[in-house]
């Protein structure tokens, strides 16, 4: 039966589109961090939307589950098959065409398998900006960005992937193709169906192409690094920046001292911008479409005002792009640097911006009570209320002893997040890893509606089962 | 049975919340233009969300349809009951509290009945901007803005009501309250349910409150009026403005000569900014959070560049706020001025920005062939691809003779829109007036999904029946 199915899949996608040997499938059944692993009946890589539809219809008729997959860079196991060996991984990576770029309409139409960086580059070549920016941009795909409603460092100004999307093409769970590929900024003709597929992690259908928004290219930039007395300083500083710089504010990241210390220790060439240590830091970026926009003066005025209000202790403005890159490297090196300090427990949460100081105080205190000496690597996107609340074991303690507490520590972070009306998954999605725990924090009527939607779109439960929804 | 129901509704909402006499109901059963009219068993005006839930549950049990209504300023009959006299109008106008304003989080939490202008004013009082702006802002409500995903003149920079919304509170068709009132910019925990209610025109539930985004206050502004050789000039001018002014571009409206001529004829005090006549005009607005942002220089540079490229024939930059207001009055007076020229046939369509010139050429030609001498009042929001394609009868011709052709002329506009992959309802919604015709233009699989969603959320079909979906 499985052999027969694999043969028929091969007839649809051709030899170039079928992988059925364990060696070839290895990179598709385990995630990049080796955190989630499964097996598959086959990996299929269709070459166009029609082939995707044929694959989905065939699997539906055979009662076989389909696991859509892009660059396989997710953090929650949403693109990895289960261990049954009966699921089919549907990789979109051969569908990477840029179908259209309309400068006057400020839109780009791309296939789901296009790598994010290639879309950024195509936009830049046309003098435009596609603003989504995140660590995995060199290998993650637009389809994965859509399926997880990806965020990153530019959400502050440009929004999440949902905000950047005007239209979608989707293969529905029954194999029909829904053509919602419209490049319109206003279209009020019934329910906005595309919104259901964005962030659904492949559980309602397979996104095969999208029309995305472009923006004017940025021609000047200013970057600064500021020392803060605490999280309240970050909230105050971003308030001052918004008032003065307005839309010029395109980046605002904070980092606890612990986060920066790991980078200084493990990243070659990393250097502390200040002689003194400070408990928290902010990385600020302004940008403008004008080539000589006087951004250094604007950022200086804002930092001066924040200093006067006690929100900032010290600050340095990058004198050129090399120094700006070095400052960004301090922020971007955190995740990698933390790996050198033993296992990392990662949490991706969001609370209202105004609640960040109280949230951090409460969560830190609870974590330190639970595990004395725990090292708390908090960093993230203050403008979005989004913190990566990552944890490393106390110095000299045992890995396993720390790891067995992972679930309890996650509970602690999530309980605190929930108390501040926050989200336990700000930008990573639920995938496999958070799909059960969400039941304890979600509105029960909302969960009912989600289960109803899943049943409506995918009554046989064959689209990425075991992901997103608890108990399904 | 109806009397009994009305009595029980009165017990829920109290005497202040129940209107059952024909005189009192008159303003709620006919729209403001007198284009749609019905009757109702009663008009209920609940004072809080609990009362809304009780009303909806009671009507559900009684098998009585509910028609949610805000400021009743819609253009498509979406908030007007049918003529059966059995429907209950649920007016949200008593629920107008601003529940919260969080400056640091840049959010405002308001009830559905709050008038748009009062929300703008509350934001301004806190030094913030709530950017949604449209003609009816003095009487339309946030709930109606949400139900129709309202647009207006600021969509270019700030997006539609959907883009401005972070969270919703909704009474579901079975009377349960879904609490999705979150003020988070990132939250990827399952399907984004709020998106289904936005733009659903009350057919999936009753929106009772929302968390909306605020922006930094604008401190400087520049306004210009430009004469254009044609629609291509508008597309070229907005391209130049985007490249040079970037996010400072917050308004871009175009008007055909015919539109401006009506205003000059019927609006007291209206004056043509130029001595010569030109076929098209653009109204441009830049704004900035900085108080002295040099916007006049930026707008001048852009207009100069556009002039050199042949996109602009002449231009005037407003020398102060009085002149800017006068220029905006030329744009805002069009709809009213057209009423003096006999019946207006209104169409609200969108096409990709790049297709506007070809679309206007084709549509104008077809209209002039169909009705020689027809006066075409085209104006709208070029940055959104959104044109109001309104029609007045030939000079001296008969009203009735023109009105009997209304459906054929609408077909003509919509067929042309459809040929350019556009939308036949850009910002007004479908309501009652377009719900049948949409079936001819929508993707059939998409319509199937919409019908499935309606059935899932409202299996008894009691939430605003006869709206949005064809044949339901």
């Amino acid at each position: 039966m499985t052999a027969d199915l694999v043969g028929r899949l091969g007839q649809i996608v051709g030899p170039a589109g079928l992988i059925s040997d364990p060696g070839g499938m290895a990179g598709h059944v385990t995630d990049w961090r080796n955190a989630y692993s499964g097996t598959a009946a086959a990996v299929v890589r269709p070459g166009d939307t029609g082939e995707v539809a044929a694959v989905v219809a065939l699997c539906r008729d055979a009662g076989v589950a389909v696991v859509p997959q892009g660059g396989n860079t997710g953090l929650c196991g949403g693109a990895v098959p289960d261990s049954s060996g009966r699921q089919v991984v549907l990789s979109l990576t051969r569908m990477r065409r840029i179908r259209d770029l309309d400068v006057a309409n400020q839109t780009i139409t791309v296939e789901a398998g296009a790598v994010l960086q290639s879309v950024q580059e195509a936009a830049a070549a046309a003098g435009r900006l596609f603003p989504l920016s995140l660590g995995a941009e060199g290998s993650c795909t637009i389809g994965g960005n859509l399926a997880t409603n990806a965020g990153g460092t530019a959400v502050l100004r440009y929004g999440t992937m949902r905000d950047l999307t005007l239209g979608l093409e989707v293969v529905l769970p029954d194999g029909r193709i829904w053509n919602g590929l419209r490049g319109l900024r206003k279209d009020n003709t019934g329910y906005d169906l595309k919104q259901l597929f964005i962030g659904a992690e492949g559980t309602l259908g397979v996104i095969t192409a999208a029309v995305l928004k472009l923006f004017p290219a940025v021609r000047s930039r200013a970057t600064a690094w500021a020392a803060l007395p605490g999280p309240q300083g970050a909230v105050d500083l971003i308030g001052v920046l918004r008032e003065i710089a307005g839309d010029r504010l395109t980046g605002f990241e904070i980092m606890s001292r612990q986060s920066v210390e790991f980078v200084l220790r493990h990243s070659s060439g990393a250097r502390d911008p200040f002689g003194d240590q400070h408990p928290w830091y902010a990385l600020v970026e302004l940008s403008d479409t004008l080539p000589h926009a006087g951004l250094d003066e604007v950022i200086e005025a804002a930092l001066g005002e924040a200093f006067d209000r006690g929100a900032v202790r010290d600050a340095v403005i990058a004198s050129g792009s090399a120094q700006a890159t070095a400052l960004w490297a301090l922020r971007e090196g955190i995740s990698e640097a933390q790996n050198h300090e033993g296992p990392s427990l990662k949490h991706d949460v969001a609370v209202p911006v105004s609640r960040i100081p109280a949230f951090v105080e409460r969560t830190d205190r609870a974590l330190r009570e639970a595990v004395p000496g725990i090292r708390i690597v908090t960093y993230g996107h203050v403008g979005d209320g989004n913190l990566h609340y990552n944890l490393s074991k106390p110095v000299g303690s045992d890995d396993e002893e720390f790891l067995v507490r992972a679930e309890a520590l996650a509970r602690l972070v999530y309980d605190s997040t929930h108390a501040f009306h926050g989200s336990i998954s700000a930008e990573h999605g639920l995938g496999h890893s958070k799909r059960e725990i969400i039941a304890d924090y979600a509105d029960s009527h909302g969960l009912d509606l989600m289960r109803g939607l899943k049943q409506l779109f995918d009554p046989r439960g064959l689209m990425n089962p075991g992901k997103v929804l608890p108990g399904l």
Side-chain angles (χ1 to χ4, degrees), chain A:
Chain A
M1 153 84 188
T2 300
D4 176 52
L5 177 78
V6 173
R8 289 162 70 198
L9 288 169
Q11 284 166 12
I12 295 170
V13 296
L18 183 73
I19 308 172
S20 55
D21 64 298
M25 292 197 289
H28 294 276
V29 298
T30 300
D31 75 316
W32 65 286
R33 293 192 300 156
N34 277 312
Y36 307 92
S37 203
T39 57
V43 175
V44 288
R45 302 174 65 223
D48 59 35
T49 304
E51 289 184 9
V52 174
V55 165
V56 168
L58 176 63
C59 289
R60 202 265 313 243
D61 293 344
V64 167
V66 170
V67 180
Q69 187 179 84
N72 197 16
T73 62
L75 290 159
C76 299
V80 175
D82 69 12
S83 56
S84 69
R86 282 186 47 82
Q87 300 187 324
V88 169
V89 173
L90 197 169
S91 168
L92 280 298
T93 46
R94 272 177 73 210
M95 290 181 59
R96 50 176 69 204
R97 279 192 311 143
I98 293 186
R99 290 192 192 167
D100 186 47
L101 193 156
D102 185 337
V103 170
N105 198 43
Q106 299 218 109
T107 49
I108 188 168
T109 306
V110 302
E111 291 184 342
V115 169
L116 170 53
Q117 191 174 311
S118 72
V119 177
Q120 295 167 342
E121 288 167 358
R128 291 291 178 276
L129 172 72
F130 181 67
L132 193 79
S133 177
L134 45 89
E137 62 196 26
S139 43
C140 66
T141 63
I142 291 297
N145 298 149
L146 285 160
T148 59
N149 183 25
T153 56
V155 171
L156 173 66
R157 167 61 191 89
Y158 298 99
T160 64
M161 194 62 176
R162 184 185 302 282
D163 301 304
L164 299 173
T165 304
L166 293 177
L168 290 185
E169 177 186 85
V170 178
V171 172
L172 301 173
D174 59 10
R176 291 183 298 170
I177 299 168
W178 173 61
N179 182 357
L181 266 190
R182 298 179 123 180
L184 304 174
R185 272 155 182 90
K186 284 184 182 169
D187 178 20
N188 285 339
T189 51
Y191 312 146
D192 194 353
L193 297 171
K194 68 175 177 291
Q195 305 290 354
L196 280 169
F197 301 105
I198 299 171
E201 304 186 41
T203 61
L204 299 179
V206 184
I207 295 169
T208 50
V211 183
L212 306 173
K213 291 183 195 168
L214 299 178
F215 293 81
V218 163
R219 291 211 186 77
S220 53
R221 215 180 283 273
T223 310
W225 183 265
L228 313 173
Q232 184 63 50
V235 174
D236 293 342
L237 174 58
I238 200 171
V240 170
L241 281 161
R242 278 183 162 136
E243 264 179 58
I244 294 180
D247 291 330
R248 294 169 184 82
L249 179 63
T250 48
F252 192 95
E253 301 284 306
I254 62 161
M255 294 131 284
S256 65
R257 172 70 200 175
Q258 183 69 77
S259 312
V260 176
E261 231 164 70
F262 280 179
V263 179
L264 295 173
R265 190 179 302 162
H266 300 292
S267 283
S268 67
R271 208 178 60 77
D272 194 332
F274 304 118
D276 299 329
Q277 292 191 11
H278 300 278
W280 288 81
Y281 300 95
L283 177 62
V284 179
E285 187 180 272
L286 306 188
S287 62
D288 203 307
T289 50
L290 289 176
H292 306 291
L295 294 181
D296 279 357
E297 288 72 33
V298 177
I299 210 169
E300 207 174 321
L303 288 168
E305 172 73 25
F307 185 85
D308 291 345
R309 294 195 202 176
V312 165
R313 287 180 170 185
D314 200 353
V316 54
I317 301 172
S319 61
S321 66
Q323 198 181 353
T325 304
L327 294 177
W328 271 102
L330 287 176
R331 159 66 181 85
E332 283 164 351
I334 297 172
S335 184
E336 157 66 16
Q338 198 187 359
N339 291 338
H340 296 275
E341 300 280 344
S344 305
L345 304 181
K346 294 181 190 289
H347 311 97
D348 162 49
V349 301
V351 295
V353 175
S354 50
R355 311 306 302 279
I356 285 177
F359 166 67
V360 170
E361 193 193 333
R362 171 180 165 155
T363 312
D364 275 8
R365 190 178 345 112
L367 288 167
R368 294 209 164 93
E369 273 168 21
V371 181
I374 192 168
R375 291 172 301 166
I376 305 175
V377 180
T378 309
Y379 61 99
H381 324 290
V382 169
D384 319 322
N386 178 195
L387 296 178
H388 299 301
Y389 228 109
N390 297 351
L391 308 174
S392 288
K393 63 178 185 174
V395 175
S397 70
D398 182 64
D399 279 8
E400 277 312 306
E401 205 176 294
F402 187 60
L403 284 171
V404 295
R405 306 203 56 174
E407 201 183 315
L409 293 171
R411 279 279 174 193
L412 197 154
V413 173
Y414 297 154
D415 286 351
S416 181
T417 303
H418 191 62
F420 287 93
H421 305 290
S423 167
I424 68 159
S425 189
E427 59 177 7
H428 294 169
L430 297 171
H432 178 77
S433 66
K434 294 187 186 176
R435 74 154 183 144
E436 293 299 347
I437 203 167
I438 190 63
D440 296 336
Y441 300 107
D443 177 273
S444 65
H445 301 325
L447 271 183
D448 276 0
L449 292 176
M450 289 186 207
R451 289 198 183 94
L453 289 167
K454 174 70 175 175
Q455 176 69 23
L456 173 66
F457 279 73
D458 180 26
R460 301 190 190 188
L462 296 175
M463 290 306 304
N464 212 8
K467 314 290 165 61
V468 182
L469 291 167
L472 275 182

